[in-house]
Amino acid sequence: MQGAGSTVAPVPLSEIFSSIQGEGPYVGCRHLFIRFTGCNLSCRYCDTPRGEPPGCRVEVKPGTGSFVTIPNPLTPEEVAVLISGVDLGKYHAVSLTGGEPLLYPDFLRELIPLLRGARRGIYLETNGTLFGALESLLHLVDVIAMDVKLPSATGMQPLWEEHGRFLKAARKKEVFLKAVVVKGTPLDEVAVAAGMAEAAGVPLILQPVTAGEPGRLPAPGELLWLQSKALEVARDVRVIPQVHRFCGMR
Ligand code: SF4
């Protein structure tokens, strides 16, 4: 069933909240996060609950941990109403995150124009595989935080071809690559990611795994060795952990 005023099917959302961006080159920037449910991948380190939540948790006041739950699914207009009290002019961006937001291209096409007002615009956090959906939405997105999934970290088969096609489209906008690394991530995997970043002229962020797998956290020496080797391939390789966790933020 479609909602009043909407031409697309409503979708289930997981949560809407304010926080700092905790990953990548924009760490510390104030973002409004809209978290979608569902994903086409299954990374071993994933901390996103599976299944469709009955309601979307909407934060009442930034950082207080106080939420109200709105029944799912939601239309783009209903999402816009839920964030209408947020002063987006103080925000670096509205972050579309997941799960995988690009599972819902039709919904995003209607939602994104309702989210304007943040200083840098729309920030898409994506697993970097659904290139067809990205191409159809590229004109609506401002910054793309694209994962490169390393098999040693995800436990999945390589996705180099999908990532390559995705990056070919994404590089028309501001984009950076983010690869989660674990203890024992082989150099050849990082080298492929570095090669992709260098070919596209974009930064590569190596993010040590944190979610749920403390035993797999690479040692400082291992991280710096991977970075050093990657810098032989690409000119901009940074090691950035998830910083929001250091101050108890979501
Ligand atoms: S791409 Fe992200 S949401 Fe999907 S399984 Fe991997 S970590 Fe989880």
Side-chain angles (χ1 to χ4, degrees):
M1 191 177 82
Q2 293 176 1
S6 180
T7 61
V8 295
V11 308
L13 295 178
S14 169
E15 54 187 356
I16 300 173
F17 63 100
S18 297
S19 189
I20 58 167
Q21 175 56 245
E23 301 180 354
Y26 288 108
V27 291
C29 291
R30 188 178 181 89
H31 279 196
L32 179 69
F33 290 87
I34 299 178
R35 187 182 300 285
F36 290 76
T37 65
C39 186
N40 57 318
L41 302 183
S42 54
C43 305
R44 186 162 48 199
Y45 54 77
C46 185
D47 61 354
T48 303
R50 293 276 149 179
E52 190 174 302
C56 171
R57 285 161 32 89
V58 180
E59 190 179 45
V60 176
K61 187 176 178 187
T64 60
S66 177
F67 286 79
V68 294
T69 301
I70 309 297
N72 272 321
L74 293 163
T75 66
E77 290 77 13
E78 287 169 334
V79 175
V81 169
L82 288 172
I83 68 162
S84 59
V86 178
D87 180 3
L88 286 178
K90 292 180 179 169
Y91 285 69
H92 172 256
V94 175
S95 181
L96 306 173
T97 190
E100 177 50 56
L102 289 178
L103 288 177
Y104 309 100
D106 294 337
F107 183 87
L108 290 174
R109 208 168 290 115
E110 287 205 2
L111 174 65
I112 290 174
L114 305 178
L115 303 177
R116 292 296 172 192
R119 297 176 183 188
R120 186 62 183 95
I122 301 298
Y123 183 104
L124 173 66
E125 299 188 315
T126 170
N127 63 32
T129 58
L130 300 176
F131 42 85
L134 177 72
E135 285 168 354
S136 74
L137 292 167
L138 202 57
H139 61 294
L140 295 172
V141 173
D142 299 294
V143 182
I144 301 168
M146 174 189 163
D147 285 355
V148 175
K149 299 295 187 184
L150 306 185
S152 59
T154 63
M156 296 184 299
Q157 293 298 307
L159 296 161
W160 305 130
E161 186 182 339
E162 291 87 345
H163 287 327
R165 293 183 69 177
F166 192 97
L167 183 55
K168 189 175 174 191
R171 64 186 295 188
K172 294 170 186 153
K173 290 294 179 98
E174 180 182 349
V175 57
F176 64 88
L177 305 186
K178 185 193 74 188
V180 171
V181 294
V182 296
K183 190 180 217 169
T185 285
L187 177 58
D188 60 348
E189 291 183 3
V190 174
V192 174
M196 291 174 63
E198 183 62 14
V202 303
L204 170 64
I205 311 301
L206 301 179
Q207 180 176 295
V209 72
T210 45
E213 295 190 87
R216 303 189 77 213
L217 182 66
E222 185 177 5
L223 281 169
L224 289 174
W225 176 75
L226 285 173
Q227 184 191 37
S228 171
K229 289 296 184 181
L231 282 165
E232 294 174 4
V233 178
R235 72 198 70 182
D236 189 353
V237 183
R238 313 176 204 180
V239 176
I240 305 178
Q242 289 184 309
V243 303
H244 56 297
R245 293 171 181 267
F246 296 151
C247 48
M249 290 190 188
R250 299 181 63 72

